[in-house]
Amino acid sequence: MTSVQLMMRYVLTVVGLALAFLLRAEDGHRLWLRMERNAAPAEVRVAGPAKKTVTLAIAREELADFWKGEERLVLSVSDDAPGRDGFRIRRRGQEIQLSSASDIGVLYAAYALLRRQQTGQLLSDGQTVEESPSYDLRILNHWDNPDGTVERGYAGRSIWKWDELPGKLSPLYREYARANASVGINATVLNNVNAKAEMLSGDMLRKVMAIAATLRPYGIRVFLSVNFATPKLLGGLPTADPLDAEVRKWWTGKVEEIYRLIPDFGGFLVKANSEGTPGPQDYGRTHADGANMLADVLAPHGGVVMWRAFVYQPSNSDRACQAYEEFVPLDGCFRDNVIVQVKNGPIDFQPREPFSPLFGAMPHTQIMPEFQITQEYLGQSIHTVFLATMWKDCLDADTYYDGGATVAAVTQHKVSEKSLSAMAGVSNIGDTVNWTGNDMAQANWYAFGRLCWNSHYTARQIAEEFLQQTFTDDERFVAPMCQLLLRSWNVAVDYMMPMGLHHIFAFSHHYGPEPWCNLEGMRPDWLPPYYHQADSAGLGFDRTRSGSDAVSQYHEPLATIYNDVHTCPEEYLLWFHHVPWDFVMSDGLTMWENLCYTYYRGAEEAARFTDLWREMRPYVDAERYAAMLKRFERQSKDAVWWRDACAQYFARFSARPIPADCTKPVHLLQDLMEFHLDIDNYTAADMEKLP
Ligand code: GCW
């Protein structure tokens, strides 16, 4: 080896080591909070009497550590500042004042100021900014089990380390609290709605107390999911009948025990008489009887009941109609501290659903939306799908209640006398180093918080902010990636379930297509043919007035618009109609042709995402670049898998060829039908096993 070669090798080694160091530094763990710490603390003063709270100390420390501006910062809690967690930031010359009626409002102001710094939205002299949240309760729902597994979790195991608690506190708890506070999330349900009774044992409650204490300074209140049969399963009572005096007494004692440990405990989330969970109907009582009993027990302590409306039975009635049928007759029967929690769509977090008709149908009841941040039905932690677009679609949809009110307006009680508002998101968080498995899926956690805070934010604004803070503010990265994120939901819908198709997933794990899945003896409403209804005449579920009549659950003019195949929005066509294969759509092509072209278009766009990501290489650190590249590549392969499976499978019914200008399928239908993916909790290694 010549000395020049030796020298080169040395240089390369040093560069390699430096790169490796940088690479470790960017494992995604810091989320969107990647500010550099100041060498010397910035000047921050706390004014006024409420100086001493831990929350104010955190606000002060965050700004001292990360504020880079020349201005002095003054924090104050004062009655003339915005309340309800809101805040005011005012710049006067060389001073910036951050004030709120509460210390948590001041902390939110601190994070808002740091976000402005990170995204280049500095305050000019004399400028005042005031913010207050759209929803009172901005709450994550963890579907985490006491054994550390996470239902529909794709990012490792639960961050709650029950085995180590209460003695040992994982540093993750504080980091979690900080990340949530930075986007305004102020509540969390620690455990799965499919709740174990043991969650309310004395031992578990002491563990919950330890978590609550860590989250409290960041303004986050803890809630628990409860199993309705807990008085039987844990308390040894013969019944869990909500109208039974002993049952009520048991809950009263349990709730007192909880509040002795956790004085600011938030309340209960309940999944009752749903997918086999126990509930008041087991005793001939209604959802209102069940919810109100718990609400009465919690009320003296200021607690709330979130009662889920995700209910359906394997009956003859269309699954999409059932929640409405059960809940609307109960309108006005719920206590003031009950909120009925409604999934955004009438079925179940499908790639695209119309909004649930329960929004706008229960004016005398507090209703809250539940969104799914974890991508159970959207490629899990492999596919990049930015969900703010989908959630905005729901929040901005006009329910036509009382002449016109969006889902956001209805759930923020803009049009009723109710007061307590809330929005829930099923978390995508696990103990994997980057929290969400997919670095880009952090955007969905971020977006959920931001939309709870202000449902008027646009998906674009949220995507931009996220990218600037989490990756780089270089426009050559932000502009194209923002476009990608904004397209990503539509693209996923195109390659999975276009035109209103839904629930044609592989059984149980819901990753990949299985429109043919027809397991013998299984509930029909858990099988794809129930939803797509493909036959020689056409495709789609007839929910018109002559079908299941789901359309009539919507206010006019929507009912009529949805009912008519010619006016039904084409993105919901196969949701509301059984459409003939040759039905001519607005572009002049038949339904069958459109179906094929949409699948092909989705797959092509997914492939372009991978190409675009390759172009982003100069702007992204090596570790996140490589991890995301693997995922984008898999996503484009999956899109082809979906396309080939669905186009070829439905061709069997349409008896029409896939249009000649579509490329030849990559997979044979028979092979895809014989493939069975055996996964429970997805890991990156599983990617290798897919078609
Ligand atoms: O989407 C379905 C999921 C279940 C989940 C259920 C629910 C927690 O497949 O895993 O159970 O919804 O929301 O209750």
Side-chain angles (χ1 to χ4, degrees), residues 322-356:
Q322 294 182 27
Y324 181 104
E325 285 164 359
E326 274 195 49
F327 276 84
V328 169
L330 300 174
D331 187 26
C333 300
F334 292 95
R335 299 281 191 270
D336 283 347
N337 59 332
V338 174
I339 317 183
V340 174
Q341 182 166 319
V342 178
K343 286 189 182 182
N344 56 284
I347 299 265
D348 186 8
F349 299 139
Q350 292 304 292
R352 178 186 273 136
E353 299 193 33
F355 70 85
S356 163

Side-chain angles (χ1 to χ4, degrees), residues 297-565:
V297 169
L298 286 161
H301 308 276
V304 167
V305 176
M306 297 175 171
W307 192 270
R308 293 176 93 226
F310 177 65
V311 295
Y312 63 101
Q313 306 291 337
S315 66
N316 288 333
S317 159
D318 173 6
R319 172 171 168 186
C321 298
Q322 294 182 27
Y324 181 104
E325 285 164 359
E326 274 195 49
F327 276 84
V328 169
L330 300 174
D331 187 26
C333 300
F334 292 95
R335 299 281 191 270
D336 283 347
N337 59 332
V338 174
I339 317 183
V340 174
Q341 182 166 319
V342 178
K343 286 189 182 182
N344 56 284
I347 299 265
D348 186 8
F349 299 139
Q350 292 304 292
R352 178 186 273 136
E353 299 193 33
F355 70 85
S356 163
L358 274 170
F359 297 116
M362 298 181 68
H364 308 293
T365 304
Q366 284 159 162
I367 299 267
M368 64 187 278
E370 174 182 325
F371 294 111
Q372 196 181 42
I373 309 172
T374 191
Q375 291 165 233
E376 174 181 0
Y377 297 104
L378 278 161
Q380 302 178 2
S381 58
I382 306 300
H383 297 200
T384 289
V385 184
F386 182 53
L387 298 172
T389 332
M390 172 164 115
W391 301 334
K392 284 291 284 183
D393 206 60
C394 174
L395 291 168
D396 293 347
D398 196 342
T399 67
Y400 289 96
Y401 167 72
D402 200 20
T406 62
V407 171
V410 166
T411 54
Q412 289 162 28
H413 313 307
K414 299 257 155 67
V415 286
S416 76
E417 78 283 11
K418 294 293 174 189
S419 59
L420 188 61
S421 66
M423 182 155 124
V426 180
S427 147
N428 61 350
I429 298 166
D431 69 354
T432 195
V433 68
N434 69 357
W435 300 88
T436 55
N438 175 332
D439 290 297
M440 224 37 97
Q442 297 174 354
N444 292 328
W445 175 8
Y446 181 85
F448 172 75
R450 297 292 281 148
L451 280 177
C452 292
W453 183 264
N454 188 338
S455 59
H456 292 293
Y457 288 148
T458 62
R460 170 179 301 277
Q461 172 180 354
I462 296 171
E464 266 169 11
E465 283 179 359
F466 170 79
L467 292 166
Q468 287 168 334
Q469 296 169 89
T470 314
F471 289 91
T472 166
D473 58 7
D474 191 319
E475 262 305 289
R476 289 168 298 180
F477 175 83
V478 175
M481 283 307 293
C482 183
Q483 276 308 105
L484 184 152
L485 290 185
L486 293 178
R487 278 294 301 156
S488 59
W489 172 49
N490 271 299
V491 169
V493 170
D494 281 354
Y495 63 68
M496 286 183 177
M497 275 162 256
M499 294 157 59
L501 282 175
H502 49 291
H503 229 313
I504 55 176
F505 292 96
F507 190 73
S508 172
H509 56 68
H510 301 155
Y511 191 90
E514 251 177 43
W516 49 81
C517 175
N518 219 346
L519 300 171
E520 210 154 320
M522 187 50 66
R523 282 172 63 156
D525 59 346
W526 281 355
L527 296 170
Y530 173 96
Y531 299 97
H532 63 63
Q533 302 272 319
D535 58 19
S536 60
L539 181 66
F541 199 122
D542 184 357
R543 298 195 162 105
T544 65
R545 290 187 178 125
S546 44
S548 79
D549 201 21
V551 294
S552 295
Q553 295 184 341
Y554 291 91
H555 293 290
E556 288 295 2
L558 278 183
T560 300
I561 291 172
Y562 289 157
N563 187 60
D564 184 342
V565 71

Side-chain angles (χ1 to χ4, degrees), residues 111 157 171 189 197 204 276 286 327 409 433 471 488 530 532 599 634:
Y111 287 122
R157 292 172 60 81
V189 184
M204 280 307 263
T286 68
F327 276 84
V433 68
F471 289 91
S488 59
Y530 173 96
H532 63 63
Y599 271 119
R634 187 60 246 177

Side-chain angles (χ1 to χ4, degrees), residues 208-223:
V208 173
M209 174 174 84
I211 296 177
T214 315
L215 307 190
R216 184 172 298 119
Y218 288 88
I220 296 166
R221 285 174 81 183
V222 163
F223 287 65

